[in-house]
Amino acid sequence: MPITVPWVSDKMIEAEADFIIQRYAKECEPILRPPIPVDEIPERLLRVSLDFDDLGRLLGRPDAIGATWFDKREIFIDQSLDPKRSEEHTSNSSH
């Protein structure tokens, strides 16, 4: 079921991202240099599963590249962006 997401400023997004990165470094492991472990943060810190699947098939929308099911604590990224197939994955995971 689609939800309405309120507009959030770039400054607010950056502040929240900084907070999550600092929390990850404190609770999981220090981040001494890039890259940021964007694949590990959902699972290790936020306790949300992160998987790849054919979102065009699942959602009936061929343009879907990511989807979140809050009630199930699941994030799916379209299989076309799987890091084994694409370097675009890191950018999309962080969003």
Side-chain angles (χ1 to χ4, degrees):
M1 175 164 110
I3 62 171
T4 301
V5 179
W7 182 85
V8 180
S9 71
D10 289 347
K11 189 174 183 176
M12 289 176 66
I13 293 169
E14 185 175 344
E16 186 65 23
D18 286 342
F19 172 77
I20 289 173
I21 290 167
Q22 290 172 12
R23 186 174 151 209
Y24 178 88
K26 182 179 178 184
E27 295 178 25
C28 298
E29 64 183 282
I31 300 171
L32 304 175
R33 60 187 176 280
I36 303 296
V38 295
D39 293 348
E40 295 179 18
I41 290 173
E43 294 177 337
R44 291 185 64 192
L45 183 66
L46 304 175
R47 307 292 188 249
V48 175
S49 70
L50 177 64
D51 291 303
F52 294 90
D53 207 331
D54 182 353
L55 292 183
R57 180 184 54 78
L58 283 176
L59 302 175
R61 294 188 53 172
D63 60 338
I65 60 170
T68 303
W69 282 269
F70 293 101
D71 58 333
K72 296 179 180 180
R73 302 186 65 82
E74 296 176 334
I75 298 171
F76 282 93
I77 299 170
D78 189 68
Q79 65 188 5
S80 66
L81 300 174
D82 188 322
K84 295 174 183 135
R85 296 194 234 171
S86 171
E87 293 183 15
E88 295 176 35
H89 163 71
T90 302
S91 173
N92 288 306
S93 292
S94 63
H95 289 98

